[in-house]
Amino acid sequence: MNIPDTTLEILTLGRFSLSVDGKPVATDWPDETVKVFFCSLLSPLDLYVTWDRLCRSMLGEPETLSSRRQLEETSIRPLNYFLIKELGFNPVIVGHEGIRIERQRSHVDAFEFHSVALEGLRLLALGDHVAAHRKFSIAKTLYVGCYLPGMAGKIIANTRKDLESFFRTAVMQGKS
């Protein structure tokens, strides 16, 4: 069942939840490893999460053919099966460079926050202080709490730290 108009809403700031048409989905994950793997793909700081970064984060070793195969078996296949069962489609795109979330059918609040805050910085650098402050106000409204609170994982923890720092320096200091 592939419904093109379906948009997956993913909340990562202040809490973690997935919904389609306002209804919660994917509330009962098969295991914590699959959930952490999926959440590792939600970082707005990377277009793709590279294979090497995923292997190091999830398996504690660099990317090799063997580690990629292990990641495929332990995380990617179970995640794909789970998402198709829960959502009716799979928003995960696996490529040669790495893995990412399809942005055309998925809306991630952290992506929106990051994009709006970056635009504010761009406008500030161009000297358009009024437009920059509007963007910073929007970004401040979007940042309702820390990124994936309580969720484990190296990529998640690094993204959480980077987004908190970005919020403090770009949004809060940029507004003043």
Side-chain angles (χ1 to χ4, degrees):
M1 176 166 132
N2 194 356
I3 304 168
D5 294 336
T6 302
T7 299
L8 174 62
E9 292 286 332
I10 305 172
L11 299 179
T12 60
L13 298 171
R15 66 187 176 117
F16 174 64
S17 72
L18 281 71
S19 63
V20 174
D21 297 328
K23 296 176 185 149
V25 294
T27 56
D28 190 23
W29 289 80
D31 64 46
E32 194 64 19
T33 301
V34 171
K35 185 177 181 180
V36 167
F37 181 80
F38 177 76
C39 289
S40 295
L41 304 175
L42 300 175
S43 172
L45 307 175
D46 302 299
L47 177 58
Y48 280 90
V49 181
T50 67
W51 285 104
D52 189 58
R53 188 168 183 209
L54 285 166
C55 288
R56 288 177 189 278
S57 174
M58 300 297 296
L59 305 173
E61 59 185 69
E63 174 197 4
T64 62
L65 192 54
S66 175
S67 62
R68 276 179 73 157
R69 200 171 301 124
Q70 183 180 354
L71 202 59
E72 173 78 30
E73 290 173 17
T74 62
S75 299
I76 297 171
R77 279 191 208 136
L79 177 63
N80 290 345
Y81 174 78
F82 175 71
L83 292 173
I84 289 169
K85 184 180 116 210
E86 289 290 312
L87 308 175
F89 67 97
N90 184 2
V92 176
I93 298 173
V94 178
H96 181 68
E97 303 86 8
I99 304 174
R100 67 181 174 93
I101 297 294
E102 178 187 8
R103 293 188 184 193
Q104 293 167 334
R105 293 185 59 191
S106 305
H107 175 264
V108 182
D109 60 349
F111 291 174
E112 184 178 4
F113 160 75
H114 189 255
S115 174
V116 169
L118 278 176
E119 179 63 11
L121 288 174
R122 187 187 74 75
L123 291 165
L124 193 62
L126 292 173
D128 191 344
H129 297 280
V130 173
H133 285 239
R134 271 190 245 127
K135 291 294 182 182
F136 292 142
S137 276
I138 294 168
K140 185 177 180 187
T141 302
L142 290 169
Y143 195 87
V144 296
C146 79
Y147 178 77
L148 295 170
M151 183 93 44
K154 291 178 185 178
I155 293 172
I156 295 166
N158 287 336
T159 302
R160 182 181 300 127
K161 181 180 67 92
D162 290 347
L163 285 178
E164 286 173 359
S165 176
F166 188 55
F167 176 73
R168 281 191 312 277
T169 58
V171 177
M172 297 309 291
Q173 290 178 12
K175 280 189 77 162
S176 48

